[in-house]
Amino acid sequence: MDTTGAIPDKATDEKTLWNPTRKRTEFSAPNGWGDFANVDLAPEDQWSYHAVAAAIRAHSLLRSFPEVDPKRIGVTGISMGSTRAWWIMALDDRPRAAVCVACMTRYEELIRAGMLKAHGIYYFVPGLLKHFDTEAIYSLVAPRPMLMLSGDEDYNAPPDGVETLERKIAPVYRLYGKPEAFRSVLYKNTGHEYLPEMRTEMIEWFRRALPI
């Protein structure tokens, strides 16, 4: 899945990560991850739109295979993969569980910390804060199981934002009578990383949420 939005060009791709001469495909995002100059472009020209839409289409393909149990499909990722995971869960009610590692981000706290620069335009939906912050997105996942694993030294997702999201999301799960289906762990002395114990937590969470 090429979420950078262009047809690979072997002749020039080896010279640069984002090749501006690549030809954009009909259904893809712009070439590269974009920048804040793209903020006023139409949704179909935003990287974030395509990153989520492509994964949802891939999910539709995956669950169409006879050897796949559609009731046992979950979503996980770290960093941008984590962000894409919670957006997928919010917009597609078919995945049954999620584990999101790093990037449990609330934008108001990110702005206060002066860390918008930690992300490119790929991380944001233009105009979102005119309506709500990310707790409204996370809450759409309920009551499906969601585990969030974060580091208290991760500048991409300030810990005060993580704690605010915990306070706002947990009551939504309680409303559904499923408080145990939401868990957030904030690891001490941990940055933007995937610890071995996080992987253990991820495996155990999916084992419980997607039993054989």
Side-chain angles (χ1 to χ4, degrees):
M1 183 189 309
D2 181 11
T3 51
T4 67
I7 299 170
D9 182 353
K10 186 176 181 180
T12 56
D13 284 352
E14 295 178 356
K15 301 177 182 178
T16 177
L17 181 61
W18 306 123
N19 177 7
T21 65
R22 275 182 166 192
K23 181 181 178 181
R24 182 175 172 182
T25 64
E26 181 181 359
F27 300 105
S28 71
N31 189 8
W33 284 11
D35 57 39
F36 286 100
N38 304 135
V39 70
D40 293 322
L41 297 181
E44 60 270 21
D45 290 322
Q46 300 285 347
W47 190 92
S48 54
Y49 171 95
H50 286 274
V52 175
I56 291 175
R57 289 196 299 271
H59 178 204
S60 296
L61 175 63
L62 178 65
R63 65 189 292 117
S64 72
F65 297 144
E67 64 270 28
V68 173
D69 182 352
K71 296 180 180 179
R72 298 188 63 246
I73 295 176
V75 185
T76 189
I78 179 174
S79 192
M80 185 59 210
S82 170
T83 302
R84 184 159 62 170
W86 46 263
W87 269 108
I88 292 166
M89 290 290 288
L91 297 175
D92 186 350
D93 61 5
R94 298 173 300 170
R96 295 305 178 95
V99 178
C100 305
V101 182
C103 281
M104 184 182 183
T105 309
R106 190 169 190 270
Y107 295 139
E108 289 286 358
E109 280 77 4
L110 188 70
I111 292 168
R112 281 202 296 271
M115 291 311 297
L116 282 178
K117 61 186 178 182
H119 305 277
I121 189 61
Y122 66 86
Y123 197 69
F124 305 103
V125 175
L128 184 141
L129 280 179
K130 294 178 182 178
H131 308 285
F132 42 73
D133 210 317
T134 54
E135 61 267 18
I137 303 163
Y138 288 109
S139 295
L140 293 173
V141 179
R144 291 167 294 164
M146 180 169 63
L147 172 64
M148 313 299 294
L149 305 174
S150 311
D152 68 343
E153 297 177 358
D154 186 353
Y155 59 84
N156 293 276
D160 56 340
V162 173
E163 293 167 349
T164 298
L165 287 170
E166 290 172 346
R167 292 193 298 271
K168 290 178 176 291
I169 298 168
V172 178
Y173 276 81
R174 289 197 294 270
L175 285 173
Y176 280 99
K178 295 281 187 179
E180 75 286 351
F182 171 69
R183 184 167 180 245
S184 173
V185 182
L186 189 60
Y187 291 82
K188 298 296 183 183
N189 306 312
T190 301
H192 195 68
E193 54 190 309
Y194 205 145
L195 302 176
E197 50 265 46
M198 291 176 171
R199 183 176 183 276
T200 300
E201 288 270 7
M202 178 269 292
I203 293 171
E204 184 56 33
W205 187 263
F206 280 132
R207 184 176 288 124
R208 293 195 305 269
L210 307 171
I212 298 176

